[in-house]
Amino acid sequence: MKTLIITLFAALLGATAPTLAQSPQYKQAMTDALTGMNKKTDKPATADILASANQFERIAGAESAEWLPRYYAGLNYVYLGFLGGSEAEKDKYLDQADVNLKAAETISPKNDELAVLKAYIAQARLTVDAMNRWQQYGPLFQAGIEQAKAMNPANPCPYVLEGSSLMYTPAQFGGGPDKACPVLKQAMEKLATFKPASEFAPGWGKQQIEPLLTKCK
Amino acid sequence: MNRIALLFPCLLAFTASAQTVLTGRVTDQKGHGLPGANVMLRGTYDGTSTDSTGAFRFSTSRKDTATLFVSYIGYEPDTREITIGPGPTTIRLNESANELNTVVVTAGVFEASDSKRMTMLKPMDIVTTAGAGADITSVMNLLPGTQRVGDQTGLFVRGGSGEEAKVVIDGMIVQNPFFSQSPNLQSRGRFQPFMFKGTSFSTGGYSAQYGQALSSVLLLNTTDQNQNEGLGVSINLANTGLNYDHATANASISATAHYGNLKPLFALVPQNIDWTHVPEFGGGSLTYRLQTSKTGMLKLYSMYSNSQTGLNFVDPGSESGKTAFNQQNRNFFTTSTYTDSWGNGTWQLLSGLSYSHDTDATAYGTQDFGRGTDRLQGRFVLTRALGGKLGNQLLFGTEGNRVTYRNAVSGTAYSLVDAYGAVFFESQVYAGRKLAIQSGVRGEYSSAINRFNLAPRISMAYKTGLYSQVSLAYGQFYQTPDYRYLYRNTTLSYERADHLILNYQLIKNKRTFRIETYYKNYAQLVREFTGPNMTLGPYDANPYRFPWGQTNSTGYGYAKGFDLFWRDQATIKGLDYWITYSFVDSKRLFQQFPTLATPSFISNHNIALIGKRYFEKISTNMGLTYTISTGRPYYNPTNPVFMADRTPTVTNLSFMASHLTHIGKNLTILYASVDNILNTRNVYTYLYTPARADGPAPTRYAVGPASYRSFFVGGIVMLSRKAKVNAREL
């Protein structure tokens, strides 16, 4: 009986959730926000990224059942974590990335894309002060990557992150082109066939790794 | 619902003409515009980011009133009800509390942790500092406020003896933190630096959570996770070791085993010591960590070691000038801690249980001087965070110890049990972000002397600028007298020290400047009288003598001075250097002292210069350390003034390098160090032959290090492909 109720409830949710949440207003707002986010040039200004993060946070504020606005807000804060000024400033952005990640995880607890975001945040934290943060954030990065791969083997994002991280790690620390290229090639293969789960679901990675692949034979 | 959704576009079109434009500005408390702040109406899509002047402008279809929500990175968000209208709204945001703008109590504390907060020394520094041999206490001896006492074991802090400092792991007192001492030789600490994620070294004025230390506590916190995965092998001139680490999603285990023998090293480095049994040691450890829930963590750590040493040491008291010394030490230590938190960290629990057993089978010449200790310990601490973002909190705790001491002195066996209990309470209160006050009180009872004490502690800190602050600390500290005195006299009082510390520090852009000045008052110290009816007998300078005279608690003394610290990781890229200078002036009337005098472990000026640099192209880390300690007093029986002589200044220049490479496909770290490069003939102290009525005048023997210039090489091979290494671990 219990199982039946749960199944029914799940079916009901499954059937109604998209229509419930995805109002035309939401679709319009997400389309606008994603267009704005993807319009960024090679050297985006931090003000633009912050504005994009704000835009997603506003959508998240209006749509408390959607994890994607939180995801994209978090992603923008990760970019800011790489680009920001001082170490303290970078950490502040990454604190906000964590806030968005946590909010997204409460909406969608088992989600490969959020595991990717978690790994990405760890990588950004590590990069702020690699020499001193290796021990703490190295394993967190790896854990996020493994989690994402396990949840969805078809998702190219964990391979993109892992490959680019290895490329920037010196050979004597277990990185370098030899280690990175096989992973990056896997990422490319997965990108070629990957279909995002929904209209607004993430499907990034190509732009990040194309310049890196030139270093591979 | 569907229908409503479908209606939306129509609604939007319909209401477009009825929109109101909202304008305003977001600023900080001083009125400076905050660009990029997020402004929105709760529950709607209406909102915008502020422009470069902090101004905003957006339109909404809402009527009458709405909830305006404004957020900005690093500031407290603002939520307010507004009336929809054309008038501009100004929102002033408050900066949120963070490490830069909130004061922390720092008097007497040196933190060295791995967390992102700004710290002056990180755990990696311990293994990469030249001249410290990857020994935690040796690195602490390069910090301000400490003394380097080459011939004795322990931490000597601000005029305190080695017995006045306690080592604490995860809140639990470690009974035997150092390997057993051989005569005139310093011993290393028993624990590996990599076990710990953070180190906090207090040079005085420390928290009411800790007691039984008159001068200092060294707080070590073990890591929550494995550093490596798989098997590793290490080999050097003194030691071979194996370590294995394995982790699952919520549990991890680490095991180590080692065997050491200093024969190969001593064959290459000339020794000043007449060894009869070259130090030989073996042992192992096991660590298990279990994440019991999202917030709960259980840790178990156990270690066992067995070591043996034999030498003929300089003993002017004997006919030949030398006495045979043999010692076998067995040490077992196990500790378990459970930590958890509830209510989003509102309540935090730290509880622990530990047991240690240590025995020394020791012989001086033909005499048996065996000793042993057992300590059983439990601890329970509860922290309650009070509302607000500033970290106001209350802490309550209790601890209980049962310690058994045993000594064999030339055929006589002594033993003593001390049941020691303490309760403590501490509050941390912020009066705004600029002023913090931490006050606490600790009550203790020791069954061995059947006495209570109540020790108040207070410290406060005030932020004087964006990067600077001053701190002030006062506290009373009690310690049960050395158990060897208690065998004969249990009417002694607690020994007591009062600390007063004033500190100023400036941390900016990876540069740290710190100055601390202090006054310590010692009271109720044990005095020993070897003459009849509480009179002074002849002074016996042998540091290993067993006290046998009558005792009372009338000793006293003081220590005063200041410490300077400068560290710079910014000026030259890749170069990290620090300089410390410690000045101490201290006198005591204690033990067998006939008069107020400076004890033999005090040197007035201690300077350390430490530099290290990582050379990326050759993946090598190199470091140099230079230390200067001015002369220490020693007892000269031919000088009528007690302890008036000083040893020469001790200096040491040392170097260390570590290199990362591969052997086959296995990650390998090779390291080499040279201690005392200049081959300086340092003298730590002098010992005199006894004065004999009809004999020759007393002559002195110099006591120095086991070897002058020495070197050390070794390597670590990771057998697991997954092994990864931090450049700073080199």
PDB file of all heavy atoms in Angstrom, chain A residues 123 141 161-171 173-177 179-181 183, chain B residues 724:
ATOM      1  N   GLN A 123      37.733  23.093  -6.865  1.00  0.00           N
ATOM      2  CA  GLN A 123      38.882  23.434  -7.712  1.00  0.00           C
ATOM      3  C   GLN A 123      39.217  24.922  -7.605  1.00  0.00           C
ATOM      4  O   GLN A 123      40.378  25.302  -7.510  1.00  0.00           O
ATOM      5  CB  GLN A 123      38.565  23.060  -9.160  1.00  0.00           C
ATOM      6  CG  GLN A 123      39.796  23.145 -10.058  1.00  0.00           C
ATOM      7  CD  GLN A 123      39.439  22.974 -11.521  1.00  0.00           C
ATOM      8  OE1 GLN A 123      38.364  23.412 -11.958  1.00  0.00           O
ATOM      9  NE2 GLN A 123      40.307  22.336 -12.270  1.00  0.00           N
ATOM     10  N   PHE A 141      37.607  17.882  -4.619  1.00  0.00           N
ATOM     11  CA  PHE A 141      37.464  17.988  -6.072  1.00  0.00           C
ATOM     12  C   PHE A 141      37.275  16.599  -6.659  1.00  0.00           C
ATOM     13  O   PHE A 141      36.322  16.327  -7.399  1.00  0.00           O
ATOM     14  CB  PHE A 141      38.708  18.671  -6.654  1.00  0.00           C
ATOM     15  CG  PHE A 141      38.769  18.665  -8.153  1.00  0.00           C
ATOM     16  CD1 PHE A 141      37.934  19.479  -8.902  1.00  0.00           C
ATOM     17  CD2 PHE A 141      39.674  17.838  -8.814  1.00  0.00           C
ATOM     18  CE1 PHE A 141      37.995  19.471 -10.283  1.00  0.00           C
ATOM     19  CE2 PHE A 141      39.733  17.826 -10.195  1.00  0.00           C
ATOM     20  CZ  PHE A 141      38.888  18.640 -10.937  1.00  0.00           C
ATOM     21  N   LEU A 161      36.326  18.937 -16.452  1.00  0.00           N
ATOM     22  CA  LEU A 161      37.003  19.495 -15.269  1.00  0.00           C
ATOM     23  C   LEU A 161      38.264  18.714 -14.923  1.00  0.00           C
ATOM     24  O   LEU A 161      39.320  19.290 -14.665  1.00  0.00           O
ATOM     25  CB  LEU A 161      36.069  19.469 -14.061  1.00  0.00           C
ATOM     26  CG  LEU A 161      35.007  20.545 -13.947  1.00  0.00           C
ATOM     27  CD1 LEU A 161      34.404  20.503 -12.564  1.00  0.00           C
ATOM     28  CD2 LEU A 161      35.609  21.919 -14.208  1.00  0.00           C
ATOM     29  N   GLU A 162      38.147  17.392 -14.927  1.00  0.00           N
ATOM     30  CA  GLU A 162      39.282  16.561 -14.549  1.00  0.00           C
ATOM     31  C   GLU A 162      40.437  16.752 -15.535  1.00  0.00           C
ATOM     32  O   GLU A 162      41.587  16.936 -15.134  1.00  0.00           O
ATOM     33  CB  GLU A 162      38.863  15.087 -14.496  1.00  0.00           C
ATOM     34  CG  GLU A 162      39.907  14.212 -13.846  1.00  0.00           C
ATOM     35  CD  GLU A 162      39.506  12.740 -13.804  1.00  0.00           C
ATOM     36  OE1 GLU A 162      38.656  12.320 -14.615  1.00  0.00           O
ATOM     37  OE2 GLU A 162      40.055  12.026 -12.960  1.00  0.00           O
ATOM     38  N   GLY A 163      40.081  16.739 -16.840  1.00  0.00           N
ATOM     39  CA  GLY A 163      41.111  16.878 -17.870  1.00  0.00           C
ATOM     40  C   GLY A 163      41.813  18.216 -17.784  1.00  0.00           C
ATOM     41  O   GLY A 163      43.050  18.286 -17.832  1.00  0.00           O
ATOM     42  N   SER A 164      41.033  19.305 -17.603  1.00  0.00           N
ATOM     43  CA  SER A 164      41.688  20.617 -17.575  1.00  0.00           C
ATOM     44  C   SER A 164      42.503  20.776 -16.292  1.00  0.00           C
ATOM     45  O   SER A 164      43.581  21.372 -16.301  1.00  0.00           O
ATOM     46  CB  SER A 164      40.680  21.758 -17.739  1.00  0.00           C
ATOM     47  OG  SER A 164      39.549  21.531 -16.952  1.00  0.00           O
ATOM     48  N   SER A 165      42.024  20.194 -15.202  1.00  0.00           N
ATOM     49  CA  SER A 165      42.796  20.256 -13.961  1.00  0.00           C
ATOM     50  C   SER A 165      44.128  19.534 -14.126  1.00  0.00           C
ATOM     51  O   SER A 165      45.178  20.035 -13.713  1.00  0.00           O
ATOM     52  CB  SER A 165      41.977  19.635 -12.823  1.00  0.00           C
ATOM     53  OG  SER A 165      42.812  19.243 -11.771  1.00  0.00           O
ATOM     54  N   LEU A 166      44.097  18.365 -14.755  1.00  0.00           N
ATOM     55  CA  LEU A 166      45.341  17.610 -14.965  1.00  0.00           C
ATOM     56  C   LEU A 166      46.298  18.369 -15.872  1.00  0.00           C
ATOM     57  O   LEU A 166      47.509  18.343 -15.674  1.00  0.00           O
ATOM     58  CB  LEU A 166      45.034  16.240 -15.575  1.00  0.00           C
ATOM     59  CG  LEU A 166      44.464  15.190 -14.613  1.00  0.00           C
ATOM     60  CD1 LEU A 166      43.947  13.988 -15.386  1.00  0.00           C
ATOM     61  CD2 LEU A 166      45.522  14.754 -13.607  1.00  0.00           C
ATOM     62  N   MET A 167      45.728  19.066 -16.875  1.00  0.00           N
ATOM     63  CA  MET A 167      46.586  19.801 -17.804  1.00  0.00           C
ATOM     64  C   MET A 167      47.360  20.903 -17.074  1.00  0.00           C
ATOM     65  O   MET A 167      48.514  21.164 -17.395  1.00  0.00           O
ATOM     66  CB  MET A 167      45.722  20.399 -18.931  1.00  0.00           C
ATOM     67  CG  MET A 167      46.493  20.977 -20.076  1.00  0.00           C
ATOM     68  SD  MET A 167      47.543  19.750 -20.890  1.00  0.00           S
ATOM     69  CE  MET A 167      46.578  19.338 -22.330  1.00  0.00           C
ATOM     70  N   TYR A 168      46.727  21.515 -16.097  1.00  0.00           N
ATOM     71  CA  TYR A 168      47.384  22.612 -15.376  1.00  0.00           C
ATOM     72  C   TYR A 168      48.239  22.119 -14.211  1.00  0.00           C
ATOM     73  O   TYR A 168      48.915  22.898 -13.555  1.00  0.00           O
ATOM     74  CB  TYR A 168      46.343  23.619 -14.872  1.00  0.00           C
ATOM     75  CG  TYR A 168      45.673  24.378 -16.002  1.00  0.00           C
ATOM     76  CD1 TYR A 168      44.299  24.333 -16.189  1.00  0.00           C
ATOM     77  CD2 TYR A 168      46.444  25.123 -16.894  1.00  0.00           C
ATOM     78  CE1 TYR A 168      43.693  25.017 -17.229  1.00  0.00           C
ATOM     79  CE2 TYR A 168      45.841  25.811 -17.942  1.00  0.00           C
ATOM     80  CZ  TYR A 168      44.477  25.752 -18.102  1.00  0.00           C
ATOM     81  OH  TYR A 168      43.884  26.433 -19.129  1.00  0.00           O
ATOM     82  N   THR A 169      48.187  20.815 -13.922  1.00  0.00           N
ATOM     83  CA  THR A 169      49.011  20.267 -12.841  1.00  0.00           C
ATOM     84  C   THR A 169      50.359  19.851 -13.420  1.00  0.00           C
ATOM     85  O   THR A 169      50.392  19.155 -14.429  1.00  0.00           O
ATOM     86  CB  THR A 169      48.322  19.040 -12.212  1.00  0.00           C
ATOM     87  OG1 THR A 169      46.992  19.401 -11.867  1.00  0.00           O
ATOM     88  CG2 THR A 169      49.052  18.562 -10.973  1.00  0.00           C
ATOM     89  N   PRO A 170      51.481  20.287 -12.806  1.00  0.00           N
ATOM     90  CA  PRO A 170      52.780  19.893 -13.343  1.00  0.00           C
ATOM     91  C   PRO A 170      52.948  18.372 -13.359  1.00  0.00           C
ATOM     92  O   PRO A 170      52.377  17.674 -12.512  1.00  0.00           O
ATOM     93  CB  PRO A 170      53.779  20.515 -12.366  1.00  0.00           C
ATOM     94  CG  PRO A 170      53.035  21.565 -11.634  1.00  0.00           C
ATOM     95  CD  PRO A 170      51.604  21.148 -11.633  1.00  0.00           C
ATOM     96  N   ALA A 171      53.743  17.893 -14.335  1.00  0.00           N
ATOM     97  CA  ALA A 171      53.914  16.444 -14.525  1.00  0.00           C
ATOM     98  C   ALA A 171      54.402  15.754 -13.259  1.00  0.00           C
ATOM     99  O   ALA A 171      53.960  14.660 -12.927  1.00  0.00           O
ATOM    100  CB  ALA A 171      54.874  16.185 -15.677  1.00  0.00           C
ATOM    101  N   PHE A 173      53.712  16.289 -10.325  1.00  0.00           N
ATOM    102  CA  PHE A 173      52.658  16.094  -9.336  1.00  0.00           C
ATOM    103  C   PHE A 173      51.540  15.214  -9.876  1.00  0.00           C
ATOM    104  O   PHE A 173      50.418  15.246  -9.391  1.00  0.00           O
ATOM    105  CB  PHE A 173      52.084  17.436  -8.876  1.00  0.00           C
ATOM    106  CG  PHE A 173      53.110  18.328  -8.256  1.00  0.00           C
ATOM    107  CD1 PHE A 173      53.461  19.521  -8.859  1.00  0.00           C
ATOM    108  CD2 PHE A 173      53.739  17.961  -7.082  1.00  0.00           C
ATOM    109  CE1 PHE A 173      54.422  20.339  -8.291  1.00  0.00           C
ATOM    110  CE2 PHE A 173      54.704  18.774  -6.515  1.00  0.00           C
ATOM    111  CZ  PHE A 173      55.045  19.956  -7.119  1.00  0.00           C
ATOM    112  N   GLY A 174      51.849  14.474 -10.918  1.00  0.00           N
ATOM    113  CA  GLY A 174      50.853  13.538 -11.431  1.00  0.00           C
ATOM    114  C   GLY A 174      49.931  14.150 -12.473  1.00  0.00           C
ATOM    115  O   GLY A 174      48.859  13.620 -12.726  1.00  0.00           O
ATOM    116  N   GLY A 175      50.319  15.288 -13.073  1.00  0.00           N
ATOM    117  CA  GLY A 175      49.496  15.911 -14.107  1.00  0.00           C
ATOM    118  C   GLY A 175      50.232  15.944 -15.429  1.00  0.00           C
ATOM    119  O   GLY A 175      51.004  15.037 -15.739  1.00  0.00           O
ATOM    120  N   GLY A 176      49.988  17.008 -16.217  1.00  0.00           N
ATOM    121  CA  GLY A 176      50.671  17.170 -17.499  1.00  0.00           C
ATOM    122  C   GLY A 176      49.889  16.576 -18.652  1.00  0.00           C
ATOM    123  O   GLY A 176      48.934  15.825 -18.439  1.00  0.00           O
ATOM    124  N   PRO A 177      50.276  16.940 -19.883  1.00  0.00           N
ATOM    125  CA  PRO A 177      49.536  16.500 -21.083  1.00  0.00           C
ATOM    126  C   PRO A 177      49.351  14.981 -21.164  1.00  0.00           C
ATOM    127  O   PRO A 177      48.283  14.511 -21.564  1.00  0.00           O
ATOM    128  CB  PRO A 177      50.398  17.008 -22.241  1.00  0.00           C
ATOM    129  CG  PRO A 177      51.181  18.141 -21.679  1.00  0.00           C
ATOM    130  CD  PRO A 177      51.397  17.825 -20.237  1.00  0.00           C
ATOM    131  N   LYS A 179      48.861  12.798 -18.907  1.00  0.00           N
ATOM    132  CA  LYS A 179      47.743  12.341 -18.079  1.00  0.00           C
ATOM    133  C   LYS A 179      46.434  12.998 -18.524  1.00  0.00           C
ATOM    134  O   LYS A 179      45.371  12.394 -18.435  1.00  0.00           O
ATOM    135  CB  LYS A 179      48.009  12.699 -16.604  1.00  0.00           C
ATOM    136  CG  LYS A 179      49.155  11.920 -15.996  1.00  0.00           C
ATOM    137  CD  LYS A 179      48.637  10.679 -15.285  1.00  0.00           C
ATOM    138  CE  LYS A 179      49.759   9.725 -14.906  1.00  0.00           C
ATOM    139  NZ  LYS A 179      50.664  10.260 -13.899  1.00  0.00           N
ATOM    140  N   ALA A 180      46.543  14.258 -18.972  1.00  0.00           N
ATOM    141  CA  ALA A 180      45.336  15.040 -19.246  1.00  0.00           C
ATOM    142  C   ALA A 180      44.669  14.645 -20.559  1.00  0.00           C
ATOM    143  O   ALA A 180      43.443  14.573 -20.636  1.00  0.00           O
ATOM    144  CB  ALA A 180      45.673  16.531 -19.253  1.00  0.00           C
ATOM    145  N   CYS A 181      45.483  14.374 -21.598  1.00  0.00           N
ATOM    146  CA  CYS A 181      44.923  14.197 -22.945  1.00  0.00           C
ATOM    147  C   CYS A 181      43.902  13.059 -23.061  1.00  0.00           C
ATOM    148  O   CYS A 181      42.839  13.259 -23.657  1.00  0.00           O
ATOM    149  CB  CYS A 181      46.050  14.056 -23.961  1.00  0.00           C
ATOM    150  SG  CYS A 181      46.882  15.640 -24.183  1.00  0.00           S
ATOM    151  N   VAL A 183      41.888  11.947 -20.877  1.00  0.00           N
ATOM    152  CA  VAL A 183      40.647  12.393 -20.226  1.00  0.00           C
ATOM    153  C   VAL A 183      39.943  13.439 -21.084  1.00  0.00           C
ATOM    154  O   VAL A 183      38.716  13.410 -21.237  1.00  0.00           O
ATOM    155  CB  VAL A 183      40.943  12.951 -18.809  1.00  0.00           C
ATOM    156  CG1 VAL A 183      39.648  13.301 -18.087  1.00  0.00           C
ATOM    157  CG2 VAL A 183      41.749  11.958 -17.984  1.00  0.00           C
TER     158      VAL A 183
ATOM    159  N   LYS B 724      49.301  11.314  -4.333  1.00  0.00           N
ATOM    160  CA  LYS B 724      49.559  12.677  -4.798  1.00  0.00           C
ATOM    161  C   LYS B 724      50.229  13.438  -3.692  1.00  0.00           C
ATOM    162  O   LYS B 724      50.066  13.118  -2.516  1.00  0.00           O
ATOM    163  CB  LYS B 724      48.244  13.352  -5.177  1.00  0.00           C
ATOM    164  CG  LYS B 724      47.766  12.841  -6.503  1.00  0.00           C
ATOM    165  CD  LYS B 724      46.553  13.567  -6.961  1.00  0.00           C
ATOM    166  CE  LYS B 724      46.142  13.048  -8.339  1.00  0.00           C
ATOM    167  NZ  LYS B 724      44.781  13.355  -8.649  1.00  0.00           N
TER     168      LYS B 724
END
